[in-house]
Amino acid sequence: MTITKSTSAPLVVIGGATDNQGGSVLHYLRESDKEYRLRALTRDNTKPKAKALSELGVEVVSIDLKPENKEKIQEVYSGADVVFSVTNFWEHVDMEREIKEGKAMIDAALAAGVKLFIFSSLPSSINKTNGEIKNIHHFEGKARIEEYGRSKASDNFQFVAVQAGFYDTNMLHGQLIRKGSDGTWTFKAPISADTLVPSIDIDEYGLWVRAAIEHKEVRDDGRAVPVVAEDISLREMIEDIIKATGTDIQIVDNISYEESVKVFPEGTPAHIIEDLGVDMWKALDRYGYFQGVDVKWPLKYLAKKPSTFAEWLARTDLSEYKK
């Protein structure tokens, strides 16, 4: 499509437009056969990605989406038909701060008269496990923002949560598969390697957001929109990497949680170790990432079929495994 300046086209304001999720939303709206006015939000409109967007005809606005900038947020949301919003827990690893940031965006959208607010959320483990698993802070903050957004929904303000699945990139850069001092690659986990995860190429996240914007059935469904290309086991993902690289990767699963948390560097905050090292694994093992909900229902509304993990691998730089 051609990005337009015509006021007859809906204005979509995209948070985090130079990062993964917001960048993907912008990309797939640009691929649509529908016309949009696009306003991209970024902290620094002088960086190369921001300049490139501006050259495409996107309105690029520099803003820090913090609660203390609430009036400025309302200003950049002004006139918008749709807002896509994302918060970044990992920037400060403070769940309460993330919640305040998310609520401030929702309040600003309400004040600006935004019709459709789409939030990048994640499922609550506390709600689904009756409090058994409560330390997945990087999920829970987003879930609480989602609850707040739903409480504000009305005929004039539609709220849609789009929940990202398991990033394929988690299998890169030593996050789950690590190289030992002897050069051996090993995957270790306190659960079975046969556990399924909802795989997603995060660069395709915008397909689901575009579906929410362009299909009334998705907007009006009421359920959170799960972003999942396929359910695949951790073992299958590792085997696919082995096939693609020729590098042997040892699988050591069902280890103790005491052993599992040893991978965290000294100085890692205790609540992050509880989150990623213990409760995230427990939730995945006992309840599943999306806790049994139907993750396939949005697929028929997507503009194209999303990539499988193997397809993502085929176009990804895997040189780190070949060293």
Side-chain angles (χ1 to χ4, degrees):
M1 72 150 228
T2 301
I3 298 170
T4 183
K5 301 291 186 182
S6 172
T7 56
S8 64
L11 172 61
V12 183
V13 177
I14 303 170
T18 56
D19 294 324
N20 287 336
Q21 292 188 9
S24 179
V25 171
L26 195 149
H27 171 79
Y28 283 105
L29 288 180
R30 283 186 59 227
E31 283 200 346
S32 177
D33 58 357
K34 300 180 185 300
E35 286 195 336
Y36 294 102
R37 290 177 290 151
L38 300 179
R39 180 179 295 161
L41 307 185
T42 179
R43 284 182 182 169
D44 183 2
N45 60 6
T46 65
K47 58 187 178 182
K49 284 185 179 180
K51 288 184 176 180
L53 292 178
S54 183
E55 289 170 2
L56 291 171
V58 177
E59 179 189 3
V60 181
V61 178
S62 180
I63 183 173
D64 195 349
L65 297 169
K66 293 181 177 179
E68 50 267 35
N69 291 339
K70 193 170 178 179
E71 291 183 2
K72 177 66 174 177
I73 300 171
Q74 182 179 334
E75 182 181 326
V76 298
Y77 285 175
S78 179
D81 298 281
V82 183
V83 166
F84 169 74
S85 171
V86 60
T87 53
N88 185 4
F89 170 83
W90 298 111
E91 181 181 42
H92 44 66
V93 297
D94 183 337
M95 185 182 77
E96 294 302 327
R97 175 175 168 181
E98 181 180 24
I99 293 168
K100 289 178 182 177
E101 290 171 352
K103 286 183 175 181
M105 294 178 204
I106 292 168
D107 290 343
L110 284 163
V114 173
K115 300 178 183 69
L116 173 62
F117 189 93
I118 302 175
F119 177 64
S120 175
S121 187
L122 286 167
S124 168
S125 59
I126 293 177
N127 292 347
K128 293 291 185 177
T129 69
N130 293 318
E132 175 193 347
I133 296 174
K134 57 186 177 182
N135 295 312
I136 309 180
H137 309 290
H138 73 289
F139 275 40
E140 199 60 39
K142 289 179 171 58
R144 286 170 57 182
I145 295 167
E146 177 181 335
E147 289 175 359
Y148 182 76
R150 290 184 181 281
S151 76
K152 298 295 183 179
S154 68
D155 291 341
N156 299 316
F157 180 75
Q158 192 163 22
F159 181 91
V160 176
V162 180
Q163 300 179 344
F166 181 90
Y167 287 20
D168 291 340
T169 51
N170 286 330
M171 307 306 281
L172 299 179
H173 312 309
Q175 296 180 76
L176 294 177
I177 303 171
R178 296 179 173 86
K179 190 176 184 179
S181 57
D182 61 354
T184 301
W185 288 95
T186 305
F187 168 85
K188 290 185 178 181
I191 64 173
S192 169
D194 294 314
T195 302
L196 296 176
V197 294
S199 161
I200 178 64
D201 173 3
I202 194 56
D203 288 340
E204 295 181 344
Y205 175 89
L207 282 169
W208 282 261
V209 175
R210 175 175 157 187
I213 293 172
E214 295 185 347
H215 293 277
K216 187 176 187 297
E217 298 93 332
V218 178
R219 293 194 302 275
D220 292 349
D221 185 273
R223 289 175 288 182
V225 180
V227 178
V228 183
E230 67 170 337
D231 283 321
I232 182 173
S233 73
L234 293 162
R235 188 184 304 278
E236 290 174 299
M237 296 175 101
I238 294 164
E239 289 174 349
D240 282 347
I241 295 172
I242 293 171
K243 289 176 187 176
T245 63
T247 299
D248 185 47
I249 300 171
Q250 297 181 10
I251 297 175
V252 184
D253 58 358
N254 292 312
I255 64 176
S256 68
Y257 285 104
E258 290 76 17
E259 179 69 19
S260 175
V261 299
K262 289 180 180 178
V263 301
F264 290 92
E266 185 177 352
T268 301
H271 73 288
I272 297 303
I273 295 175
E274 290 175 337
D275 182 332
L276 294 180
V278 180
D279 275 16
M280 189 71 215
W281 290 116
K282 285 183 178 178
L284 193 59
D285 181 42
R286 300 175 188 177
Y287 299 93
Y289 187 104
F290 280 111
Q291 303 151 350
V293 306
D294 175 15
V295 299
K296 295 182 178 180
W297 72 267
L299 293 178
K300 65 181 179 181
Y301 300 103
L302 302 187
K304 71 169 190 174
K305 184 180 178 181
S307 302
T308 65
F309 181 71
E311 289 168 341
W312 173 79
L313 279 180
R315 60 175 182 265
T316 298
D317 180 5
L318 301 174
S319 58
E320 64 185 273
Y321 285 114
K322 299 177 182 179
K323 294 177 182 177

